[in-house]
Amino acid sequence: MKKGEVALEYMIPPTRLRAKPNTKKIYRTEWIHACEHIERTGFYTRQIWKERFPEQAVSCPCNFTTIGGLLELAGIARRCARSTYQKI
């Protein structure tokens, strides 16, 4: 991923512990990798994501869960176990 790459940006609203909203991004590279991998193998796991995007795994660990949720919303996959999505 590089600066300026297309990304889906979303906001987590403030909570009583955090006064300001928190902005997050799912980069196009992450999304395409997830879609291609699940299409090719039938599964997408947190371990696969961590191996491909180690910097994101450290700085934005919630991105994997968000990608999984997007795979579910798109009708591509379903969560079948902890940290594992299976192609529908």
Side-chain angles (χ1 to χ4, degrees):
M1 292 165 298
K2 51 191 162 202
K3 190 171 183 161
E5 181 179 352
V6 174
L8 169 67
E9 192 169 343
Y10 63 99
M11 188 182 335
I12 299 171
T15 67
R16 57 174 210 243
L17 300 176
R18 187 179 13 85
K20 293 197 267 183
N22 193 357
T23 302
K24 304 279 189 172
K25 291 180 182 181
I26 300 295
Y27 289 94
R28 182 176 184 271
T29 306
E30 290 177 282
W31 175 248
I32 288 177
H33 178 262
C35 292
E36 288 175 348
H37 192 274
I38 205 163
E39 184 63 34
R40 190 173 61 255
T41 68
F43 290 92
Y44 197 60
T45 66
R46 181 177 294 274
Q47 187 59 40
I48 295 294
W49 177 75
K50 284 170 75 173
E51 289 170 7
R52 175 63 176 83
F53 301 103
E55 291 177 15
Q56 287 294 95
V58 171
S59 64
C60 304
C62 60
N63 277 15
F64 173 79
T65 303
T66 303
I67 290 167
L70 291 171
L71 289 168
E72 289 182 313
L73 282 172
I76 295 169
R78 67 175 181 82
R79 185 173 183 254
C80 64
R82 185 173 182 192
S83 299
T84 305
Y85 292 87
Q86 181 179 15
K87 182 180 173 183
I88 296 177

